[in-house]
Amino acid sequence: MTIQKNIYVNGIEQNIFVDPDTFLVKVLREQIHLPGTKVGCGEGHCGACNVIIDGKLVRSCVVKIGRVANGAKITTIEGIGTPTNMHPLQRAWVKHGAAQCGFCSPGFIVSAKALLDTNPSPTREEVRDWFQKNRNACRCTGYIPIVDAVMEAAKALRGEIPVEDLDYKYQPGAEIWGSRYPRPTAVPKVTGTIKYGADLILDLPPDRLYMALVQAEVSHANIKGIDYSEAEKMPGVIKVVTHKDVKGNNRINGLAFPSNKGDGKERPILCDKKVFQYGDAIAVVLAQTEAEAHAAAKKVKVDLEVLPAYLNLIAAKAPDAIEIHPGTPNVYFVQPHIKGEDTAPIFARKDVVIAEDYIITSRTPHMPIEPDVSFGYIDPDGCVYVHCKSIGVHLHKLMIQEGLGLADDKLHLVSNPMGGTFGYKFSPTVEAIVAACVIATGRPCGLIFNYHQQQQYTGKRSPFYTKVRLAADKSGKILGMETDYDVDHGPYCEFGDLLCLRGIQFLGACHDIPNIRGEGRTVCTNHGWGSAFRGYGGTQANFSSEIVADELAAKLGIDPLEFHLINTHYPPKDGKPGSTNPSGQELCSYSYKQMLEDIKPYYEEAKKRAKAESTATVKKGVGIAAGAYGCGLDGPDSSNAYAELNPDNTITICTAWEDHGQGADMGAVGTAHQTLKPMNVCPSRLKFTWADTRNPVSGPAGGSRSQVMTGGAIRVACENMLAGLKKTGGGYYDTYEAAKLAGVPTKYDGTFSVPGVPLNENGIGKPFMVYMYGVCLAEVSVDINTGKVHCDNIVFNIDIGKVNNRSVVDGQLYGGVAQAIGLALTEDFEDIQKHRTMLGAGIPYCKDIPDTIKLNYYENPREFGPHGAAGVGEIPLCVPHPAILNAIYNACGARVTRIPALPERVLEALKAKK
Amino acid sequence: MTIQKNIYVNGIEQNIFVDPDTFLVKVLREQIHLPGTKVGCGEGHCGACNVIIDGKLVRSCVVKIGRVANGAKITTIEGIGTPTNMHPLQRAWVKHGAAQCGFCSPGFIVSAKALLDTNPSPTREEVRDWFQKNRNACRCTGYIPIVDAVMEAAKALRGEIPVEDLDYKYQPGAEIWGSRYPRPTAVPKVTGTIKYGADLILDLPPDRLYMALVQAEVSHANIKGIDYSEAEKMPGVIKVVTHKDVKGNNRINGLAFPSNKGDGKERPILCDKKVFQYGDAIAVVLAQTEAEAHAAAKKVKVDLEVLPAYLNLIAAKAPDAIEIHPGTPNVYFVQPHIKGEDTAPIFARKDVVIAEDYIITSRTPHMPIEPDVSFGYIDPDGCVYVHCKSIGVHLHKLMIQEGLGLADDKLHLVSNPMGGTFGYKFSPTVEAIVAACVIATGRPCGLIFNYHQQQQYTGKRSPFYTKVRLAADKSGKILGMETDYDVDHGPYCEFGDLLCLRGIQFLGACHDIPNIRGEGRTVCTNHGWGSAFRGYGGTQANFSSEIVADELAAKLGIDPLEFHLINTHYPPKDGKPGSTNPSGQELCSYSYKQMLEDIKPYYEEAKKRAKAESTATVKKGVGIAAGAYGCGLDGPDSSNAYAELNPDNTITICTAWEDHGQGADMGAVGTAHQTLKPMNVCPSRLKFTWADTRNPVSGPAGGSRSQVMTGGAIRVACENMLAGLKKTGGGYYDTYEAAKLAGVPTKYDGTFSVPGVPLNENGIGKPFMVYMYGVCLAEVSVDINTGKVHCDNIVFNIDIGKVNNRSVVDGQLYGGVAQAIGLALTEDFEDIQKHRTMLGAGIPYCKDIPDTIKLNYYENPREFGPHGAAGVGEIPLCVPHPAILNAIYNACGARVTRIPALPERVLEALKAKK
């Protein structure tokens, strides 16, 4: 069915031939070749696909082209401004760091344009209302920089400020360290000209194949047969790939710890014997068009023997539960924790006050706006290239190459410019499947997940089921802690052992707790395999202990902030060591006390406000929490980089620091610029690189290690460059020609290592050499009739060492706080069907996040951080959510011990209180 | 084989995945989706694909992407300017009418940009040298408007004139009739944003199929079998279509005259029993990618019994020649000519001087820069749509629907925005094949010819082999003419009978010849089927008689211009009728005498110059010729249009006037604007339509009938609109709302008919009610050592009635003169292999055309032309080429009687003279 449609897109007439049922976004992207309009959720929940049709803002992923009027005038991001001629909105977006991963930026900018076209002078609240009403979702920024950008662009458009005020003005010779210098990828992001994976797939050569997965629709089963004979006969089908086509051992190597009872190789690339969770990939249909691939995928018949599905760890630990991976117990990893004195006698003392609770965290979905995407091809040397959203290219290469049966020099992974991952891409997702299809067909293959696949078949934050007991004396001083927790890691163990350690490391980490006894375990289940998520483990652990600490303060009758101050860490003094964290390690910055004291005025004011503004039905409250997170992997860690002076006098800062929106671009350029200061390099000369296994091994971009570790490697490389290019009489050979004439090298390697010590069998060590710290105050309103909670205000005091780039770091914190609010109140992936959409899974929109998030920095330099910097990404996902839960308690006395604190859970807790 | 390539296109970074052997233009168009860069010849002969790489002008159709450096900075037309922000070159292009069909415009503008980037102040000659050196070919403009545009843009870029001077300034209320108002399609053409057929094919929906033709590589054969079993098994192949899949009678209906000995249905859609000429289509492979279609096409095996090939009419007329279409004699149409007295007695008189010669014209290739292209699909109502370059949509529908077996309401033809056709698309080419494939598969199918296919498998100008005898008395007055000619029409008769009439109509047409006897015949051969070509028949006929007239003048010792004046047509006077043309019809404008007299000063000057500048080896000379052409089909003709006031207050001028660059857009808008003058309509309110069989039946855009006939229909429609919208108290309901409120219709039909009379059995009638006339002077240089001829100067006095748009008409004349120069000196399609390329077939480049073409208009209003206008397209292909051949004779005494006057023919004629 084809019709001709006449439309004007960005002022240009288009006469296109289309199936009238095709969605407009597909027409714009694939037929009119304007890939600036993005497909996020694909069902009208995120606004990444916003365009303006005849003056009206429209989500083009839900509008069929047949319903667009002939002659309609459509504006896409490409029609708003170009890199060399940006619209004030785009310039303001750059200035305010409103594009982080940038995937939502085109949709937001188009939306803002539609708003300002009709209301040139909106208030902040009107801007927020607009984005809320139009369901513009951003997962990176916490919305505040976006609203800032709209407000300032509107001013410029009204002529109240010069348009030039929207641009960053670099003064030659100036430092950019600590400044708001715009990230290098900002302009292509705000103009829709950067190409993400799904855009690059559109540019694949004409022999490219479309992939459709055949996925399990049960959570646990034995596979008795796969019949794809009918599918292979379907039109356009080139091949159906199953586990039989995978050349290696068909396993992702989960890199299990020696103490893991599994071997870490239980995750198949394509299922062979069993289905372990809903969505597991069983076969792939490769066809010449997307429609053909999907039509044929429906014809693949899988013969399954359905087994009992253990959808949480309680079910999987039941005595009658079978082993999900036969031969490996469902509880496959155990880590004890022994610090200080035995706690049993402490808890037995009569003069102590004890609080204890059982806290359950959610199987949180990452909900990037960009769904997972990957493609691959074989180069003329027979090497398989996989382009993807990997945030650990070298790590993932190691994890998949044996499964694929590829020699080390026959596989390369490359990071696309990509939307946020928030950690889920610390695990490989579709990379091995894409590679297997490329190998099986010899042709370029690409796969773009729809949002249901994104939700159902990528890793999730693993729930912790945690019992915490705290004992304090009457003065409020914590004497000891006892912990006991299980991690529901889903069916695949990769890093499930590592995650378990995070409980040891971060339960009670913000308090001086001299004596700890505890045990953590990782459990295999059939639901949502565990992958990294910003704050990894710390999110779950700190939440549990901060709830119980709040309970303890209440029991003691001590104000929670006061309780924090009583128990806060103290530095070494007069030759005496400082207090230590749960791993027995001294802190790298004893800033808690200052941060707690400085939050007091806000706290007092907030308490007054809560009292004044509470009504009979809406109760307001204030909560406090603190927390820490480590920057690095566990134990010794190192990273590599090089700096190279190019013939055009640019300097490439080459690393494999993956940029998933967190700012690897700015991280690399900022760190290098600061190091190269003696050479007086204009920042525009510095070029960062997208991650690639052909680049130096920098280690993965997870656990906030990159600014510390790869930043360190960049610092060393640049210091080596300075030394190498230094003239004996002073000055530098700072041009390529000068260096070549002087005969000095133009390329300089840099390696940076830290002397970490992994946790020992008792959970003691120095897993990280750099930590970040934070103290958070949250204000909430609780509707005690409906149970609905709104977070009204956040004050966040943070010590992340020296700040590399203020816009990037602000953005990380605003965005992290927004995710913490979602985590606390709405986000979940427990119900496989209901939670497969953004809306269903509770993504926070603009008005779910307060417009007031106050950030106060404590820039205490870190010994092991380049130019004193630590990381930042995790701290906002370790602290605000317990502050919010504690604020709910403060508001209405409802102690919610399971997140998200959905209305029904709040109501239940209110009832329990009575 | 895929590699990743990093390039910057128009300032935007592109990381693309490509086969390194792919040509850059394909990457730019199909992978980076910038269709502004065009593919013309595809082998570096035309420059339509020009881009700038790192400052250097490059023909992107011959550069493999693997050889483009990583990091290369590429500028395409899209990067030079956009419709809302045009570069001065683009603005100058619009102003000077330098874009006619527009297909070459992007390549020229990019080329000019590269020139001005390095030489901001070029002389005209330097501009011409640049285009010559870089092989920028234009087939429409004769290059002069292009050089004008470059010169003026350069001035603006140098700041010598304001950039605003490059824009047409419309004064509200002004007439645009006779002005240089830019054509409505100019801006999209110069910005590369208009989508031609090959661009639209890129936008087809994903289920579209690629077509590869299996074509004959012999010129005459019986088909014994077609085996496509192997091809059907090739990857990606959906179907192989042969004549068996064509549902109707598999014949193009050539609409033969009753007196034609054939039935006009000898041309198969896909060959069934025989191959009739090289390139005939035998089968079509439909596959999912272009590469797959072509790979599989090679596997189709055709079993042929090769027959003798009659590659010219002499061979086909030989007594032993078999009938090419069994049952129809190879000489299948005969037309006698009897005007006035019997000529035998005249020629027998002793006092007459007789000249006679045997003149052969070439099988001229049209050589549009855009190769043939078509695509089709089925709409939800089961109607087949074929989009194509048809310049006769209703005519072609009639010609193909029976062959396809489609009911009248199940087929629609639509004209794409298209490059020039110069007449070849008066015959259907691939439309029926595309439709057959769409029907056979139910899927959208598209076909783009490469240039070899364009040359070898579209119609050509049919050679005339003509004997002309002229007898004059001693005073130089022509007393009689005898003619005898054969038309080599190739294997298919469609319009071969009509073409034969043109010999009757235009042999000797510029002279008053009272007595004529003659006969013309159409002959079937196996080479290059005949289709219309601008000047159709008049080109061949007038050439022959003007050569012989020149010979006669020489014999008489009378100066050729004087000879013309002696024999020129005279108007009715004192109740006595005026002289008549060969059809016995009075002239519609007796302007020859004035035009001849006015050319005298140029002629005298030219003769002096020739004498002064001739050297021992380079001889210069001057030639004169005159001629006429008719505007219309033969006999009665009519056309339809409507004018409709739209809700947005634009007025649609709806016709099926096909625009192949000649200016249907401006023709329609200019004619309507002039008619609607009382309503004071701003021209931007007038919208023309691309031709479509759903539009009113306007008749084909051939034979310069459109401005007269469809222009007439537009005039009537607009007059009806004026009458309908007129208020009783004065003024008009000139807005949609006003018309609706007043209850008057918003849509007004218009029909225009002329009372023509077809030629009778003696060749007498009134075939056209409007004619155009011209007198041309040509100056040439002949290198008598090499035989190489260059045309140095042209003066062209033309009477085309009132001029609708001066830029369009100038462009038609410049471009036509350029084609006449090519026709005279270089262009040919006799050698199927050598002439399959633009270069091989002798396309004229910039310096082959003089920079001085002087046009003098004689705007004698035509009774049957709207607002007095005639047509213009043909006259420059009827007159200049005999003037050039006569100038060669004048220069060196070489009488060349066969065109093109290639060096070897000139040398031969020089030898014959001695």
Side-chain angles (χ1 to χ4, degrees), chain B residues 769-910:
Chain B
M769 297 312 292
V770 177
Y771 287 82
M772 57 189 104
Y773 304 103
V775 172
C776 185
L777 172 161
E779 294 179 63
V780 300
S781 306
V782 185
D783 184 322
I784 56 169
N785 290 328
T786 62
K788 179 113 181 66
V789 179
H790 188 269
C791 178
D792 301 329
N793 189 37
I794 293 283
V795 180
F796 201 9
N797 291 356
I798 48 268
D799 177 2
I800 54 163
K802 287 289 181 189
V803 169
N804 174 339
N805 183 279
R806 182 63 188 266
S807 296
V808 169
V809 161
D810 277 1
Q812 282 291 298
L813 289 164
Y814 287 139
V817 167
Q819 291 188 343
I821 293 170
L823 175 77
L825 301 178
T826 55
E827 295 172 16
D828 209 354
F829 183 70
E830 202 55 39
D831 184 324
I832 292 166
Q833 299 309 328
K834 179 182 166 196
H835 292 153
R836 68 185 175 169
T837 70
M838 275 193 201
L839 201 60
I843 196 168
Y845 291 101
C846 191
K847 296 203 66 175
D848 300 320
I849 308 304
D851 197 27
T852 51
I853 298 178
K854 173 78 185 159
L855 304 175
N856 299 306
Y857 291 92
Y858 293 78
E859 294 195 49
N860 298 306
R862 297 300 195 273
E863 182 187 353
F864 289 96
H867 311 298
V872 59
E874 286 75 9
I875 196 68
L877 266 162
C878 291
V879 192
H881 55 305
I884 290 166
L885 273 279
N886 291 341
I888 294 173
Y889 175 76
N890 178 260
C892 62
R895 178 59 72 188
V896 181
T897 56
R898 180 168 192 168
I899 46 173
L902 298 170
E904 58 268 28
R905 289 188 180 140
V906 173
L907 291 178
E908 205 176 300
L910 272 171

Side-chain angles (χ1 to χ4, degrees), chain B residues 481-540:
Chain B
M481 176 170 73
E482 293 181 350
T483 64
D484 184 85
Y485 63 95
D486 290 298
V487 179
D488 176 345
H489 204 259
Y492 306 124
C493 90
E494 57 200 51
F495 315 124
D497 34 28
L498 181 72
L499 177 58
C500 188
L501 301 188
R502 294 286 179 271
I504 307 295
Q505 289 156 349
F506 297 115
L507 276 160
C510 65
H511 302 286
D512 165 30
I513 307 180
N515 310 305
I516 304 175
R517 290 296 181 275
E519 184 179 278
R521 294 164 296 273
T522 314
V523 185
C524 185
T525 67
N526 293 116
H527 191 2
W529 102 83
S531 74
F533 192 153
R534 198 174 180 183
Y536 192 52
T539 304
Q540 299 97 316

